[in-house]
mmCIF file of all heavy atoms in Angstrom:
data_model
loop_
_atom_site.group_PDB
_atom_site.id
_atom_site.type_symbol
_atom_site.label_atom_id
_atom_site.label_comp_id
_atom_site.label_asym_id
_atom_site.label_seq_id
_atom_site.Cartn_x
_atom_site.Cartn_y
_atom_site.Cartn_z
ATOM 1 N N PHE A 337 -24.912 -72.597 -120.339
ATOM 2 C CA PHE A 337 -24.797 -73.448 -119.167
ATOM 3 C C PHE A 337 -24.559 -72.606 -117.922
ATOM 4 O O PHE A 337 -23.697 -71.721 -117.922
ATOM 5 C CB PHE A 337 -23.638 -74.427 -119.337
ATOM 6 C CG PHE A 337 -23.761 -75.316 -120.542
ATOM 7 C CD1 PHE A 337 -23.235 -74.928 -121.765
ATOM 8 C CD2 PHE A 337 -24.410 -76.542 -120.461
ATOM 9 C CE1 PHE A 337 -23.346 -75.741 -122.883
ATOM 10 C CE2 PHE A 337 -24.535 -77.357 -121.575
ATOM 11 C CZ PHE A 337 -24.001 -76.952 -122.787
ATOM 12 N N GLU A 338 -25.301 -72.899 -116.852
ATOM 13 C CA GLU A 338 -25.013 -72.249 -115.587
ATOM 14 C C GLU A 338 -23.806 -72.931 -114.943
ATOM 15 O O GLU A 338 -23.479 -74.077 -115.266
ATOM 16 C CB GLU A 338 -26.241 -72.280 -114.686
ATOM 17 C CG GLU A 338 -27.395 -71.449 -115.260
ATOM 18 C CD GLU A 338 -28.388 -70.989 -114.217
ATOM 19 O OE1 GLU A 338 -28.361 -71.518 -113.084
ATOM 20 O OE2 GLU A 338 -29.194 -70.092 -114.541
ATOM 21 N N PRO A 339 -23.089 -72.223 -114.056
ATOM 22 C CA PRO A 339 -21.865 -72.791 -113.478
ATOM 23 C C PRO A 339 -22.092 -74.172 -112.862
ATOM 24 O O PRO A 339 -23.051 -74.384 -112.116
ATOM 25 C CB PRO A 339 -21.478 -71.756 -112.420
ATOM 26 C CG PRO A 339 -22.004 -70.462 -112.967
ATOM 27 C CD PRO A 339 -23.299 -70.827 -113.634
ATOM 28 N N GLY A 340 -21.205 -75.104 -113.207
ATOM 29 C CA GLY A 340 -21.255 -76.451 -112.650
ATOM 30 C C GLY A 340 -22.289 -77.361 -113.253
ATOM 31 O O GLY A 340 -22.413 -78.516 -112.835
ATOM 32 N N ALA A 341 -23.043 -76.903 -114.272
ATOM 33 C CA ALA A 341 -24.167 -77.692 -114.789
ATOM 34 C C ALA A 341 -23.716 -79.023 -115.379
ATOM 35 O O ALA A 341 -24.345 -80.066 -115.138
ATOM 36 C CB ALA A 341 -24.934 -76.885 -115.835
ATOM 37 N N VAL A 342 -22.664 -79.024 -116.158
ATOM 38 C CA VAL A 342 -22.230 -80.266 -116.801
ATOM 39 C C VAL A 342 -21.650 -81.237 -115.778
ATOM 40 O O VAL A 342 -21.931 -82.445 -115.823
ATOM 41 C CB VAL A 342 -21.213 -79.970 -117.917
ATOM 42 C CG1 VAL A 342 -20.679 -81.263 -118.525
ATOM 43 C CG2 VAL A 342 -21.850 -79.107 -119.003
ATOM 44 N N ASP A 343 -20.876 -80.730 -114.825
ATOM 45 C CA ASP A 343 -20.359 -81.613 -113.772
ATOM 46 C C ASP A 343 -21.495 -82.213 -112.952
ATOM 47 O O ASP A 343 -21.419 -83.365 -112.507
ATOM 48 C CB ASP A 343 -19.399 -80.846 -112.858
ATOM 49 C CG ASP A 343 -18.026 -80.651 -113.493
ATOM 50 O OD1 ASP A 343 -17.723 -81.347 -114.481
ATOM 51 O OD2 ASP A 343 -17.263 -79.795 -113.007
ATOM 52 N N GLU A 344 -22.559 -81.453 -112.760
ATOM 53 C CA GLU A 344 -23.710 -81.984 -112.027
ATOM 54 C C GLU A 344 -24.400 -83.090 -112.813
ATOM 55 O O GLU A 344 -24.821 -84.104 -112.242
ATOM 56 C CB GLU A 344 -24.700 -80.860 -111.719
ATOM 57 C CG GLU A 344 -25.885 -81.266 -110.863
ATOM 58 C CD GLU A 344 -25.511 -81.688 -109.451
ATOM 59 O OE1 GLU A 344 -24.385 -81.418 -108.996
ATOM 60 O OE2 GLU A 344 -26.369 -82.314 -108.775
ATOM 61 N N LEU A 345 -24.509 -82.943 -114.121
ATOM 62 C CA LEU A 345 -25.076 -84.010 -114.948
ATOM 63 C C LEU A 345 -24.240 -85.283 -114.831
ATOM 64 O O LEU A 345 -24.783 -86.393 -114.727
ATOM 65 C CB LEU A 345 -25.155 -83.572 -116.408
ATOM 66 C CG LEU A 345 -26.167 -82.483 -116.764
ATOM 67 C CD1 LEU A 345 -26.025 -82.094 -118.231
ATOM 68 C CD2 LEU A 345 -27.593 -82.934 -116.466
ATOM 69 N N LEU A 346 -22.931 -85.134 -114.833
ATOM 70 C CA LEU A 346 -22.044 -86.298 -114.686
ATOM 71 C C LEU A 346 -22.203 -86.944 -113.318
ATOM 72 O O LEU A 346 -22.189 -88.177 -113.190
ATOM 73 C CB LEU A 346 -20.596 -85.884 -114.918
ATOM 74 C CG LEU A 346 -20.241 -85.523 -116.369
ATOM 75 C CD1 LEU A 346 -18.930 -84.746 -116.416
ATOM 76 C CD2 LEU A 346 -20.146 -86.783 -117.224
ATOM 77 N N ALA A 347 -22.382 -86.136 -112.276
ATOM 78 C CA ALA A 347 -22.570 -86.674 -110.925
ATOM 79 C C ALA A 347 -23.878 -87.447 -110.823
ATOM 80 O O ALA A 347 -23.946 -88.512 -110.198
ATOM 81 C CB ALA A 347 -22.536 -85.537 -109.899
ATOM 82 N N VAL A 348 -24.945 -86.921 -111.442
ATOM 83 C CA VAL A 348 -26.229 -87.622 -111.430
ATOM 84 C C VAL A 348 -26.115 -88.922 -112.221
ATOM 85 O O VAL A 348 -26.633 -89.970 -111.793
ATOM 86 C CB VAL A 348 -27.339 -86.723 -111.998
ATOM 87 C CG1 VAL A 348 -28.637 -87.513 -112.166
ATOM 88 C CG2 VAL A 348 -27.567 -85.519 -111.087
ATOM 89 N N ALA A 349 -25.438 -88.901 -113.350
ATOM 90 C CA ALA A 349 -25.254 -90.117 -114.138
ATOM 91 C C ALA A 349 -24.557 -91.202 -113.332
ATOM 92 O O ALA A 349 -24.884 -92.388 -113.449
ATOM 93 C CB ALA A 349 -24.464 -89.808 -115.407
ATOM 94 N N ALA A 350 -23.610 -90.812 -112.490
ATOM 95 C CA ALA A 350 -22.896 -91.794 -111.671
ATOM 96 C C ALA A 350 -23.823 -92.452 -110.657
ATOM 97 O O ALA A 350 -23.598 -93.599 -110.252
ATOM 98 C CB ALA A 350 -21.731 -91.114 -110.951
ATOM 99 N N ARG A 351 -24.894 -91.752 -110.262
ATOM 100 C CA ARG A 351 -25.861 -92.319 -109.305
ATOM 101 C C ARG A 351 -26.878 -93.231 -109.989
ATOM 102 O O ARG A 351 -27.597 -93.968 -109.310
ATOM 103 C CB ARG A 351 -26.600 -91.192 -108.568
ATOM 104 C CG ARG A 351 -25.730 -90.349 -107.666
ATOM 105 C CD ARG A 351 -26.555 -89.562 -106.675
ATOM 106 N NE ARG A 351 -27.342 -88.507 -107.257
ATOM 107 C CZ ARG A 351 -26.918 -87.259 -107.414
ATOM 108 N NH1 ARG A 351 -25.677 -86.934 -107.072
ATOM 109 N NH2 ARG A 351 -27.711 -86.333 -107.926
ATOM 110 N N TRP A 352 -26.983 -93.126 -111.317
ATOM 111 C CA TRP A 352 -27.969 -93.900 -112.060
ATOM 112 C C TRP A 352 -27.242 -94.682 -113.151
ATOM 113 O O TRP A 352 -27.232 -94.272 -114.328
ATOM 114 C CB TRP A 352 -29.012 -92.984 -112.693
ATOM 115 C CG TRP A 352 -29.876 -92.234 -111.725
ATOM 116 C CD1 TRP A 352 -29.562 -91.100 -111.063
ATOM 117 C CD2 TRP A 352 -31.221 -92.561 -111.340
ATOM 118 N NE1 TRP A 352 -30.619 -90.676 -110.294
ATOM 119 C CE2 TRP A 352 -31.655 -91.557 -110.439
ATOM 120 C CE3 TRP A 352 -32.104 -93.588 -111.675
ATOM 121 C CZ2 TRP A 352 -32.919 -91.566 -109.869
ATOM 122 C CZ3 TRP A 352 -33.378 -93.584 -111.104
ATOM 123 C CH2 TRP A 352 -33.767 -92.594 -110.219
ATOM 124 N N PRO A 353 -26.640 -95.806 -112.821
ATOM 125 C CA PRO A 353 -25.823 -96.528 -113.812
ATOM 126 C C PRO A 353 -26.600 -97.032 -115.020
ATOM 127 O O PRO A 353 -25.996 -97.325 -116.057
ATOM 128 C CB PRO A 353 -25.220 -97.677 -113.005
ATOM 129 C CG PRO A 353 -26.100 -97.821 -111.795
ATOM 130 C CD PRO A 353 -26.598 -96.452 -111.488
ATOM 131 N N ARG A 354 -27.928 -97.145 -114.922
ATOM 132 C CA ARG A 354 -28.733 -97.597 -116.072
ATOM 133 C C ARG A 354 -29.262 -96.433 -116.899
ATOM 134 O O ARG A 354 -30.010 -96.639 -117.856
ATOM 135 C CB ARG A 354 -29.907 -98.447 -115.586
ATOM 136 C CG ARG A 354 -29.500 -99.812 -115.032
ATOM 137 C CD ARG A 354 -30.728 -100.551 -114.482
ATOM 138 N NE ARG A 354 -31.775 -100.679 -115.485
ATOM 139 C CZ ARG A 354 -33.079 -100.704 -115.212
ATOM 140 N NH1 ARG A 354 -33.499 -100.593 -113.956
ATOM 141 N NH2 ARG A 354 -33.967 -100.853 -116.176
ATOM 142 N N ALA A 355 -28.849 -95.217 -116.570
ATOM 143 C CA ALA A 355 -29.341 -94.052 -117.307
ATOM 144 C C ALA A 355 -28.622 -93.936 -118.643
ATOM 145 O O ALA A 355 -27.395 -93.849 -118.703
ATOM 146 C CB ALA A 355 -29.132 -92.785 -116.490
ATOM 147 N N ALA A 356 -29.391 -93.919 -119.722
ATOM 148 C CA ALA A 356 -28.823 -93.665 -121.048
ATOM 149 C C ALA A 356 -28.702 -92.172 -121.304
ATOM 150 O O ALA A 356 -27.791 -91.729 -122.007
ATOM 151 C CB ALA A 356 -29.685 -94.306 -122.121
ATOM 152 N N THR A 357 -29.640 -91.384 -120.764
ATOM 153 C CA THR A 357 -29.586 -89.933 -120.909
ATOM 154 C C THR A 357 -29.885 -89.290 -119.565
ATOM 155 O O THR A 357 -30.668 -89.812 -118.761
ATOM 156 C CB THR A 357 -30.593 -89.411 -121.958
ATOM 157 O OG1 THR A 357 -31.929 -89.760 -121.560
ATOM 158 C CG2 THR A 357 -30.306 -89.998 -123.328
ATOM 159 N N VAL A 358 -29.252 -88.146 -119.325
ATOM 160 C CA VAL A 358 -29.495 -87.333 -118.131
ATOM 161 C C VAL A 358 -29.687 -85.903 -118.614
ATOM 162 O O VAL A 358 -28.830 -85.364 -119.335
ATOM 163 C CB VAL A 358 -28.329 -87.411 -117.128
ATOM 164 C CG1 VAL A 358 -28.621 -86.557 -115.898
ATOM 165 C CG2 VAL A 358 -28.055 -88.854 -116.716
ATOM 166 N N GLY A 359 -30.805 -85.302 -118.238
ATOM 167 C CA GLY A 359 -31.125 -83.970 -118.742
ATOM 168 C C GLY A 359 -31.264 -82.945 -117.634
ATOM 169 O O GLY A 359 -31.773 -83.253 -116.549
ATOM 170 N N PRO A 360 -30.850 -81.704 -117.880
ATOM 171 C CA PRO A 360 -30.930 -80.646 -116.874
ATOM 172 C C PRO A 360 -32.302 -79.991 -116.826
ATOM 173 O O PRO A 360 -33.154 -80.229 -117.697
ATOM 174 C CB PRO A 360 -29.887 -79.650 -117.372
ATOM 175 C CG PRO A 360 -30.029 -79.745 -118.864
ATOM 176 C CD PRO A 360 -30.289 -81.217 -119.150
ATOM 177 N N ALA A 361 -32.504 -79.132 -115.828
ATOM 178 C CA ALA A 361 -33.622 -78.196 -115.871
ATOM 179 C C ALA A 361 -33.312 -77.162 -116.939
ATOM 180 O O ALA A 361 -32.185 -76.669 -117.026
ATOM 181 C CB ALA A 361 -33.810 -77.526 -114.517
ATOM 182 N N ILE A 362 -34.304 -76.850 -117.769
ATOM 183 C CA ILE A 362 -34.115 -75.896 -118.856
ATOM 184 C C ILE A 362 -34.956 -74.655 -118.553
ATOM 185 O O ILE A 362 -36.185 -74.728 -118.472
ATOM 186 C CB ILE A 362 -34.498 -76.505 -120.209
ATOM 187 C CG1 ILE A 362 -33.603 -77.725 -120.500
ATOM 188 C CG2 ILE A 362 -34.390 -75.474 -121.319
ATOM 189 C CD1 ILE A 362 -33.965 -78.462 -121.775
ATOM 190 N N ARG A 363 -34.278 -73.552 -118.363
ATOM 191 C CA ARG A 363 -34.942 -72.297 -118.045
ATOM 192 C C ARG A 363 -34.989 -71.424 -119.282
ATOM 193 O O ARG A 363 -34.031 -71.362 -120.055
ATOM 194 C CB ARG A 363 -34.182 -71.585 -116.915
ATOM 195 C CG ARG A 363 -34.782 -70.269 -116.471
ATOM 196 C CD ARG A 363 -34.205 -69.823 -115.134
ATOM 197 N NE ARG A 363 -32.772 -69.673 -115.162
ATOM 198 C CZ ARG A 363 -32.129 -68.576 -115.584
ATOM 199 N NH1 ARG A 363 -32.823 -67.549 -116.040
ATOM 200 N NH2 ARG A 363 -30.817 -68.509 -115.540
ATOM 201 N N THR A 364 -36.111 -70.749 -119.493
ATOM 202 C CA THR A 364 -36.206 -69.801 -120.599
ATOM 203 C C THR A 364 -35.605 -68.472 -120.153
ATOM 204 O O THR A 364 -35.461 -68.201 -118.951
ATOM 205 C CB THR A 364 -37.665 -69.571 -121.022
ATOM 206 O OG1 THR A 364 -38.340 -68.822 -119.985
ATOM 207 C CG2 THR A 364 -38.390 -70.895 -121.250
ATOM 208 N N PRO A 365 -35.256 -67.591 -121.088
ATOM 209 C CA PRO A 365 -34.746 -66.272 -120.694
ATOM 210 C C PRO A 365 -35.733 -65.479 -119.853
ATOM 211 O O PRO A 365 -35.326 -64.577 -119.106
ATOM 212 C CB PRO A 365 -34.476 -65.588 -122.044
ATOM 213 C CG PRO A 365 -34.231 -66.706 -122.995
ATOM 214 C CD PRO A 365 -35.159 -67.804 -122.550
ATOM 215 N N GLU A 366 -37.018 -65.814 -119.955
ATOM 216 C CA GLU A 366 -38.047 -65.118 -119.165
ATOM 217 C C GLU A 366 -38.233 -65.725 -117.784
ATOM 218 O O GLU A 366 -39.081 -65.262 -117.014
ATOM 219 C CB GLU A 366 -39.381 -65.141 -119.912
ATOM 220 C CG GLU A 366 -39.385 -64.388 -121.233
ATOM 221 C CD GLU A 366 -38.659 -65.122 -122.350
ATOM 222 O OE1 GLU A 366 -38.641 -66.377 -122.336
ATOM 223 O OE2 GLU A 366 -38.084 -64.446 -123.229
ATOM 224 N N GLY A 367 -37.465 -66.763 -117.458
ATOM 225 C CA GLY A 367 -37.550 -67.359 -116.125
ATOM 226 C C GLY A 367 -38.575 -68.456 -115.982
ATOM 227 O O GLY A 367 -38.873 -68.889 -114.864
ATOM 228 N N GLU A 368 -39.112 -68.945 -117.094
ATOM 229 C CA GLU A 368 -40.044 -70.069 -117.035
ATOM 230 C C GLU A 368 -39.266 -71.386 -117.072
ATOM 231 O O GLU A 368 -38.147 -71.448 -117.580
ATOM 232 C CB GLU A 368 -41.016 -70.017 -118.202
ATOM 233 C CG GLU A 368 -41.931 -68.806 -118.196
ATOM 234 C CD GLU A 368 -42.737 -68.713 -119.479
ATOM 235 O OE1 GLU A 368 -42.133 -68.758 -120.564
ATOM 236 O OE2 GLU A 368 -43.970 -68.587 -119.387
ATOM 237 N N LEU A 369 -39.887 -72.433 -116.538
ATOM 238 C CA LEU A 369 -39.287 -73.757 -116.565
ATOM 239 C C LEU A 369 -39.854 -74.522 -117.741
ATOM 240 O O LEU A 369 -41.056 -74.814 -117.798
ATOM 241 C CB LEU A 369 -39.564 -74.508 -115.261
ATOM 242 C CG LEU A 369 -38.899 -75.891 -115.135
ATOM 243 C CD1 LEU A 369 -37.373 -75.766 -115.116
ATOM 244 C CD2 LEU A 369 -39.390 -76.607 -113.873
ATOM 245 N N TYR A 370 -38.999 -74.844 -118.703
ATOM 246 C CA TYR A 370 -39.439 -75.621 -119.856
ATOM 247 C C TYR A 370 -39.699 -77.062 -119.427
ATOM 248 O O TYR A 370 -38.855 -77.665 -118.747
ATOM 249 C CB TYR A 370 -38.372 -75.582 -120.949
ATOM 250 C CG TYR A 370 -38.723 -76.393 -122.166
ATOM 251 C CD1 TYR A 370 -39.663 -75.938 -123.074
ATOM 252 C CD2 TYR A 370 -38.128 -77.627 -122.396
ATOM 253 C CE1 TYR A 370 -40.001 -76.687 -124.195
ATOM 254 C CE2 TYR A 370 -38.456 -78.382 -123.510
ATOM 255 C CZ TYR A 370 -39.395 -77.907 -124.395
ATOM 256 O OH TYR A 370 -39.727 -78.657 -125.494
ATOM 257 N N PRO A 371 -40.840 -77.653 -119.793
ATOM 258 C CA PRO A 371 -41.148 -79.032 -119.381
ATOM 259 C C PRO A 371 -40.360 -80.041 -120.218
ATOM 260 O O PRO A 371 -40.873 -80.624 -121.175
ATOM 261 C CB PRO A 371 -42.653 -79.139 -119.614
ATOM 262 C CG PRO A 371 -42.927 -78.170 -120.727
ATOM 263 C CD PRO A 371 -41.967 -77.033 -120.519
ATOM 264 N N SER A 372 -39.114 -80.253 -119.840
ATOM 265 C CA SER A 372 -38.182 -81.019 -120.675
ATOM 266 C C SER A 372 -38.123 -82.492 -120.331
ATOM 267 O O SER A 372 -37.462 -83.260 -121.047
ATOM 268 C CB SER A 372 -36.774 -80.434 -120.533
ATOM 269 O OG SER A 372 -36.338 -80.481 -119.186
ATOM 270 N N ALA A 373 -38.796 -82.924 -119.257
ATOM 271 C CA ALA A 373 -38.773 -84.335 -118.846
ATOM 272 C C ALA A 373 -40.203 -84.847 -118.830
ATOM 273 O O ALA A 373 -40.923 -84.705 -117.842
ATOM 274 C CB ALA A 373 -38.127 -84.479 -117.467
ATOM 275 N N ARG A 374 -40.625 -85.443 -119.928
ATOM 276 C CA ARG A 374 -42.022 -85.787 -120.125
ATOM 277 C C ARG A 374 -42.227 -87.297 -120.181
ATOM 278 O O ARG A 374 -41.281 -88.064 -120.318
ATOM 279 C CB ARG A 374 -42.532 -85.162 -121.427
ATOM 280 C CG ARG A 374 -42.235 -83.685 -121.558
ATOM 281 C CD ARG A 374 -42.860 -83.096 -122.798
ATOM 282 N NE ARG A 374 -42.471 -81.699 -122.996
ATOM 283 C CZ ARG A 374 -43.021 -80.865 -123.867
ATOM 284 N NH1 ARG A 374 -43.998 -81.306 -124.648
ATOM 285 N NH2 ARG A 374 -42.606 -79.620 -123.976
ATOM 286 N N ASP A 375 -43.487 -87.701 -120.103
ATOM 287 C CA ASP A 375 -43.842 -89.085 -120.391
ATOM 288 C C ASP A 375 -43.815 -89.286 -121.909
ATOM 289 O O ASP A 375 -43.946 -88.324 -122.678
ATOM 290 C CB ASP A 375 -45.243 -89.405 -119.868
ATOM 291 C CG ASP A 375 -45.265 -89.611 -118.353
ATOM 292 O OD1 ASP A 375 -44.178 -89.681 -117.751
ATOM 293 O OD2 ASP A 375 -46.372 -89.686 -117.787
#
Side-chain angles (χ1 to χ4, degrees):
F337 301 90
E338 295 203 346
V342 176
D343 283 344
E344 185 65 15
L345 291 175
L346 290 163
V348 172
R351 294 197 291 270
W352 295 81
R354 290 176 56 211
T357 60
V358 180
I362 299 176
R363 181 165 58 84
T364 70
E366 296 75 30
E368 296 172 308
L369 184 64
Y370 178 75
S372 60
R374 309 185 185 191
D375 283 351

